[in-house]
Amino acid sequence: MSNRVRVRFAPSPTGGLHLGGVRTILYNYLFAHHHGGQFVLRIEDTDQNRYVADAEQYIYDCLEWCGLLPDESPLKGGPYTPYRQSERKPLYYQYAQQLVDAGYAYYAFDTVEELEKMRHDLKNEHNPNPQYDHKTRMQMRNSLSLDPKEVVELLNKQTPHVIRIKMPHNKTVSFTDMIRGEIHFDTSLVDDKVLLKADGMPTYHLAVVVDDHLMQITHAFRGEEWLPSAPVHLLLWEYLGWKESMPQWAHLPLILKPDGNGKLSKRDGDRLGFPVFAMDWKDPKTNETTTGFKEIGFLPQAFVNMLALLGWNDGSGQEIFSLDELVQRFSIDRVHKGGAKFDYEKAKWFNHQYIQHAADELLLPLVKPYFEKAGISADDAYMLQVIGLIKERCTLLPDFVQQGYFFFHTPKEIDLASIQAKWEDRKKQFFESWVEILQSLEQWTHDELEQSFNKTMEAHGLKKGDVLLPLRIMLVGGKYGPGVFVIAEMIGKAETCNRVKAALAQLGN
RNA sequence: GGCGCGUUGGUCAAUCGGCUAAGACGCCUCCCUUUCACGGAGGAAUGACGGGUUCGACUCCCGUACGUGCUACCA
């Protein structure tokens, strides 16, 4: 099968792209590339009410940022064009009609009010969610319950109607899920799902089957939440006469919220303070922006790596994988059945790993915008040095600003209290004379600096423990950062002396 | 309510009948570093429960519990 694998990701363009969505994309991508197949992006915009203008472009942007580009898509085109279901609208009717003709589906004329009434009337303690199914359909207004003449009349009058699948009674439908194995359903318990809506658009159920068939999809991955509607799809493949070419299904485990249980939602991110969307999403209706992993400072490689391990591992214990390695090692039978709680701390650990091991040159263009936003600019050579010096203490990209600010500007505030706690007159005298000595220093290198510092220190009868931390705070502002003499070397003589003097002034006598 | 799916430390997880139950994150202790971080060494912490099957069950089977998903002219 290795050359014929075709998979698809079929999002509905309704908003931000969720972690779970990206993971589904990733598994699609990995599977396709592992088998030398194609990865198709199909836009499932069949719900005109939920359509959101910029959502499709946003999906492309996310795919591009993640480096998980499809082989075929509405943008890129391909042999099965069009890839937007709204543009395929005329296609679906004939298949729905075919099902009606064969007796597998029927017209239903019930209005929204009538449906509501039925659900309301039948609702009780034992049946909280009445269905439109074999038990109720004969009480409704459809081509099964109505007189054939009346049906023709209604149709001729162009009465709004939908086409529903006629779920068989007492039939067991089974299939083998690639992740979960044999799964069985009793069709009596499944409702007569709408296949074609009154506006002529297909529902997901019809569209997914028709398009997966037409686009020659061989393996279909989707979230576990789709499992209950699998019997509808299975039957559709059969009724349409395509059963032999039905894709193999894999229902991916859910990504759960970190606390408690349940599917991770955007709300959880807001509540717990971490991103859920791949990139910033600005809701055009509310104008509200939700922060994405990109904007909060993740590297796409780290993001993808983290996601790959949320529900899959290769059994070796290795956790850091390049995309190529993932492609090589990914296999669907090592995907877990159980949902995984999202752990933001672990996600940050992945990013930290990637930043630590990334080349300074790679980091430069990513970090620069953050520096610029903080009013910091410098030539690349200098910035590169700074990046190399501080990257191991940066977890997210914006951390570079906090960790590197003092390399570019005098700290806005210094932690005077920490110096003052043990401040003595002889320390003050030491710093005063050291600053003087620095003027005549032959070479401005960290070695020279350290030597002169130590010599002066000893001459004043002081120890490192007495003055090293004060020096750091004077130069850096706080108790952090790389070697203090390296910092002094970097910022230069004038700036070093100025910072020490300024601090001495603030400390008073 | 019904149906589906799931269940190894706080979290991610290995194990495909031999377990003294890996590893990672987080947490704690120590070392390195007279800062922070990195790095290193340790530590606490796990098989939901009850029955089978078996010489032997975390692994297989059955039940129970718990969790979760679905139950729309949304995907």
Side-chain angles (χ1 to χ4, degrees), chain A residues 3-7 37-42 70-84 88 91 211 213-217:
Chain A
N3 273 332
R4 315 200 37 168
V5 166
R6 288 178 59 77
V7 299
Q38 274 101 43
F39 168 43
V40 177
L41 176 71
R42 185 174 69 217
D71 300 297
E72 300 165 26
S73 74
L75 259 195
K76 201 178 175 193
Y80 299 91
T81 243
Y83 289 90
R84 244 184 308 257
R88 301 170 68 80
L91 256 166
D211 286 340
H213 169 255
L214 261 20
M215 294 182 179
Q216 310 265 299
I217 299 306

Side-chain angles (χ1 to χ4, degrees), chain A residues 311-500:
Chain A
W312 172 89
N313 71 81
D314 76 341
S316 72
Q318 182 178 338
E319 294 193 282
I320 302 295
F321 295 97
S322 68
L323 190 57
D324 284 344
E325 282 177 301
L326 287 173
V327 165
Q328 218 174 89
R329 309 212 191 163
F330 184 76
S331 78
I332 203 74
D333 45 55
R334 289 201 64 92
V335 174
H336 305 145
K337 296 181 171 88
K341 287 184 184 172
F342 177 65
D343 181 357
Y344 188 50
E345 292 306 316
K346 185 74 184 248
K348 285 193 290 191
W349 175 81
F350 274 103
N351 206 51
H352 191 191
Q353 290 293 308
Y354 273 79
I355 287 180
Q356 255 184 83
H357 297 113
D360 302 341
E361 289 75 13
L362 191 140
L363 258 11
L364 180 66
L366 299 173
V367 165
K368 221 173 176 176
Y370 289 102
F371 276 138
E372 279 163 2
K373 221 187 296 174
I376 294 168
S377 59
D379 57 90
D380 287 358
Y382 187 76
M383 215 172 253
L384 239 22
Q385 278 189 69
V386 172
I387 288 171
L389 250 17
I390 62 175
K391 66 183 178 186
E392 71 189 21
R393 51 210 100 203
C394 295
T395 300
L396 299 170
L397 257 12
D399 294 347
F400 278 89
V401 174
Q402 154 64 21
Q403 290 291 329
Y405 187 85
F406 59 84
F407 279 108
F408 305 92
H409 292 301
T410 307
K412 287 187 184 128
E413 253 179 58
I414 67 172
D415 180 11
L416 270 185
S418 291
I419 307 180
Q420 258 159 347
K422 292 182 186 171
W423 194 237
E424 297 172 60
D425 208 42
R426 54 187 189 133
K427 292 185 184 176
K428 185 189 176 191
Q429 283 158 13
F430 156 75
F431 278 106
E432 278 167 350
S433 54
W434 187 53
V435 169
E436 282 310 309
I437 290 164
L438 288 183
Q439 301 307 322
S440 53
L441 204 65
E442 281 176 31
Q443 286 182 334
W444 191 259
T445 65
H446 62 269
D447 281 338
E448 292 280 319
L449 280 158
E450 186 165 4
Q451 276 174 37
S452 83
F453 185 88
N454 288 344
K455 232 166 91 183
T456 315
M457 182 183 79
E458 279 157 25
H460 284 252
L462 291 160
K463 290 182 197 144
K464 276 189 176 177
D466 300 323
V467 282
L468 203 55
L469 191 63
L471 174 63
R472 165 173 299 281
I473 291 171
M474 290 171 184
L475 299 186
V476 171
K479 299 180 204 173
Y480 62 93
V484 70
F485 298 108
V486 173
I487 293 169
E489 178 187 322
M490 292 275 291
I491 63 178
K493 185 190 283 186
E495 186 63 23
T496 301
C497 294
N498 285 343
R499 290 188 193 180
V500 172

Side-chain angles (χ1 to χ4, degrees), chain A residues 54-217:
Chain A
D54 301 325
E56 187 181 322
Q57 182 58 45
Y58 171 85
I59 290 166
Y60 299 133
D61 293 343
C62 290
L63 288 172
E64 187 169 358
W65 179 64
C66 293
L68 303 172
L69 290 172
D71 300 297
E72 300 165 26
S73 74
L75 259 195
K76 201 178 175 193
Y80 299 91
T81 243
Y83 289 90
R84 244 184 308 257
Q85 289 182 329
S86 59
E87 293 170 15
R88 301 170 68 80
K89 183 177 174 184
L91 256 166
Y92 304 105
Y93 180 75
Q94 54 172 306
Y95 295 107
Q97 190 60 52
Q98 182 187 326
L99 291 166
V100 173
D101 293 344
Y104 293 129
Y106 58 91
Y107 302 111
F109 302 95
D110 316 277
T111 62
V112 179
E113 293 72 29
E114 287 168 334
L115 289 172
E116 273 171 15
K117 184 175 187 307
M118 179 272 281
R119 293 197 177 105
H120 177 265
D121 292 350
L122 266 43
K123 187 170 178 169
N124 63 44
E125 201 185 320
H126 301 289
N127 185 14
N129 297 296
Q131 294 185 319
Y132 200 122
D133 59 15
H134 69 97
K135 282 188 292 219
T136 54
R137 64 179 161 233
M138 292 314 279
Q139 277 83 256
M140 304 303 288
R141 298 179 56 238
N142 55 57
S143 58
L144 262 25
S145 63
L146 265 24
D147 183 84
K149 270 191 286 184
E150 193 183 343
V151 172
V152 172
E153 210 172 292
L154 283 168
L155 252 22
N156 285 342
K157 280 197 296 190
Q158 312 230 309
T159 312
H161 63 276
V162 301
I163 292 179
R164 309 188 88 110
I165 186 170
K166 184 184 173 190
M167 287 304 284
H169 197 43
N170 284 334
K171 192 176 164 181
T172 299
V173 169
S174 328
F175 77 103
T176 306
D177 187 274
M178 283 189 274
I179 295 170
R180 292 154 208 283
E182 288 294 316
I183 298 177
H184 311 274
F185 300 92
D186 177 355
T187 56
S188 305
L189 301 165
V190 183
D191 62 334
D192 290 354
K193 285 266 182 294
V194 170
L195 265 20
L196 203 74
K197 300 185 249 189
D199 65 2
M201 276 288 196
T203 59
Y204 170 82
H205 306 294
L206 212 218
V208 72
V209 172
V210 168
D211 286 340
D212 280 353
H213 169 255
L214 261 20
M215 294 182 179
Q216 310 265 299
I217 299 306

Side-chain angles (χ1 to χ4, degrees), chain A residues 278-299:
Chain A
M279 293 171 68
D280 270 9
W281 168 251
K282 188 178 176 194
D283 189 323
K285 283 175 192 144
T286 62
N287 256 348
E288 211 178 299
T289 300
T290 308
T291 305
F293 278 89
K294 180 189 178 200
E295 287 77 6
I296 210 163
F298 271 77
L299 302 183

